[in-house]
Amino acid sequence: MKKIILIAALLFFNSIAAQKVKNVIVLIGDGTGLTQLYSAYEANDRFLNIYTMPHTALSITNCIDRRVTDSGAGGTAIACGQKTYYRAIGVDKDTLPMPSMLEICKEMGKKTGIVVSCDLNHATPASFIAHVKDREMYEEIAKFYLNGKCDIFLGGGKKRFNNRKDKRNLIQEIERQGYEIVYNEQELLNTKTDKIAGFFAEKHLPIYKERGAIMQTALKTTIDRLKDNKDGFFIMLEGSQIDMQAHDNHFTEMIDEALDFDACVGIALDFARKDGNTLVVVTADHETGGLTLPVAGKDMDTCKWTTTGHTSAPIIIYAEGPGSEDFHGVIQNDRQFHIIMNAIRRK
């Protein structure tokens, strides 16, 4: 009997070890610390998809020149695997470009996608596609979407593409490259190709109560369009407005955004659990608002915000799928890139 149990255990662990990472879905909850997620957990009858993920690590988020990072340096550390200076986008301390995991995955033959509820040229998505010295170079960032490295990009920021100081209409230029252009959820659902550019707002998308479940639709559609590529895919989704509501100390709206983000995590996990070769990583660039919970629950009067800015509080990374076991302990935020890329390259 002991031999049978030992053989069964060896077969199980060998099957896990044999799994390859074909697809990667990275979901970034901007500004999302432990208390933001726990508040959403309490408000949702004590359930989060995120909390079902088996592997966790604690991430230290400082950038090289400040203890409290911004989304530019924080996003770049995750995307490119190296800490950099405050406000940097895809560049190192000397402003030299660094390849992002999205760009590397594209070179490996994978299809790529970006899904956000903010301006597509905002700091976090920009960190995966652009290389500029300052995060507010929005019109310069927009031009990087013309490089063909992102197959599907869905979010806001339309005015950076077609109402520009240089008078260029980048939406027309993108369309000429073979992308389907969509402006709302129904148009997205009607698409047929795996090259889609979606501009759902002039700047950021509305808050969750106004926009509805378009983020969930966007992620489902992106997965569906990219899943048949023989070399797999890489998708980065950002729950952008968790951060925005935390900046404003809007507790109820922050919970709405966190639960929308968690629903997107559920979509990613559902696909990954059926697929077997998909690594899902849920992370954050920093914590926003310094949220404390003297009494946990739905009532916004029970919480206390200590700032309208970012904090240096470490955030938690959650992971599931092949390679996820390497997320453990306390790590620097740039380490995430290397864990994910090592998992992709593992033979």
Side-chain angles (χ1 to χ4, degrees):
M1 179 60 73
K2 288 181 179 179
K3 288 183 178 179
I4 293 173
I5 293 172
L6 178 61
I7 291 170
L10 288 172
L11 288 172
F12 173 76
F13 287 114
N14 283 338
S15 69
I16 294 294
Q19 288 179 310
K20 305 294 184 183
V21 177
K22 181 179 180 182
N23 310 306
V24 176
I25 306 175
V26 176
L27 302 104
I28 301 175
D30 197 327
T32 305
L34 178 61
T35 49
Q36 282 83 359
L37 286 181
Y38 187 72
S39 298
Y41 167 81
E42 287 281 353
N44 198 43
D45 295 323
R46 296 195 167 189
F47 176 80
L48 286 181
N49 291 295
I50 294 168
Y51 283 1
T52 69
M53 301 174 73
H55 299 287
T56 60
L58 199 66
S59 173
I60 296 172
T61 64
N62 68 286
C63 54
I64 60 171
D65 54 347
R66 301 193 189 189
R67 183 173 295 169
V68 180
T69 192
D70 77 311
S71 293
T76 297
I78 297 169
C80 303
Q82 187 172 319
K83 286 182 183 283
T84 188
Y85 62 89
Y86 199 81
R87 300 179 66 87
I89 297 293
V91 297
D92 66 13
K93 62 182 178 61
D94 299 314
T95 72
L96 297 175
M98 299 185 291
S100 73
M101 62 176 82
L102 180 146
E103 293 171 313
I104 295 170
C105 284
K106 183 64 176 177
E107 290 175 0
M108 296 171 70
K110 297 185 185 298
K111 294 289 186 176
T112 57
I114 290 174
V115 179
V116 296
S117 57
C118 64
D119 183 329
L120 281 159
N121 310 295
H122 221 229
T124 303
S127 297
F128 285 81
I129 192 71
H131 308 279
V132 296
K133 65 181 181 180
D134 188 274
R135 60 179 291 174
E136 290 192 8
M137 298 172 66
Y138 298 121
E139 292 196 358
E140 185 67 23
I141 290 167
K143 291 192 290 187
F144 281 89
Y145 286 96
L146 290 163
N147 65 18
K149 293 183 179 179
C150 192
D151 296 291
I152 298 178
F153 46 97
L154 309 172
K158 178 184 174 185
K159 72 175 187 177
R160 314 290 189 187
F161 291 84
N162 70 349
N163 186 18
R164 298 166 52 86
K165 293 177 182 177
D166 62 11
K167 306 303 181 183
R168 289 175 66 179
N169 188 324
L170 300 190
I171 294 178
Q172 291 180 354
E173 294 182 36
I174 290 167
E175 188 172 24
R176 286 196 291 270
Q177 291 185 353
Y179 285 83
E180 286 191 74
I181 308 297
V182 297
Y183 298 105
N184 57 54
E185 188 171 4
Q186 190 55 53
E187 289 181 359
L188 175 62
L189 288 169
N190 291 337
T191 55
K192 303 297 182 185
T193 70
D194 59 5
K195 289 187 71 174
I196 309 167
F199 305 97
F200 302 138
E202 289 296 307
K203 193 179 178 185
H204 305 311
L205 273 65
I207 61 173
Y208 175 73
K209 286 182 179 179
E210 297 174 12
R211 72 174 184 267
I214 190 171
M215 287 289 288
Q216 298 166 45
T217 301
L219 180 59
K220 286 179 182 176
T221 303
T222 302
I223 292 172
D224 184 63
R225 298 294 187 275
L226 303 185
K227 67 182 181 182
D228 294 328
N229 182 48
K230 66 181 181 64
D231 294 313
F233 63 73
F234 173 90
I235 297 171
M236 189 286 292
L237 177 141
E238 183 192 32
S240 319
Q241 299 197 34
I242 303 169
D243 173 73
M244 295 177 190
Q245 299 310 316
H247 274 297
D248 290 335
N249 291 175
H250 290 165
F251 186 68
T252 301
E253 290 80 3
M254 180 276 293
I255 287 178
D256 289 342
E257 297 295 338
L259 290 177
D260 184 41
F261 178 68
D262 185 66
C264 291
V265 173
I267 291 165
L269 290 175
D270 183 61
F271 172 80
R273 289 166 181 170
K274 293 174 183 175
D275 175 70
N277 299 109
T278 299
L279 172 62
V280 179
V281 178
V282 177
T283 185
D285 46 1
H286 53 74
E287 193 274 346
T288 301
L291 181 64
T292 63
L293 301 172
V295 180
K298 300 178 184 180
D299 187 351
M300 63 184 300
D301 292 333
T302 66
C303 80
K304 293 185 184 296
W305 300 96
T306 62
T307 180
T308 57
H310 301 167
T311 74
S312 61
I315 59 89
I316 299 180
I317 305 166
Y318 305 81
E320 180 171 327
S324 62
E325 66 279 1
D326 291 335
F327 283 97
H328 57 80
V330 180
I331 64 173
Q332 298 293 328
N333 57 355
D334 55 344
R335 179 65 187 151
Q336 296 170 76
F337 168 94
H338 301 285
I339 294 174
I340 292 169
M341 293 312 304
N342 286 342
I344 293 171
R345 290 167 172 152
R346 191 174 296 159
K347 300 298 183 181

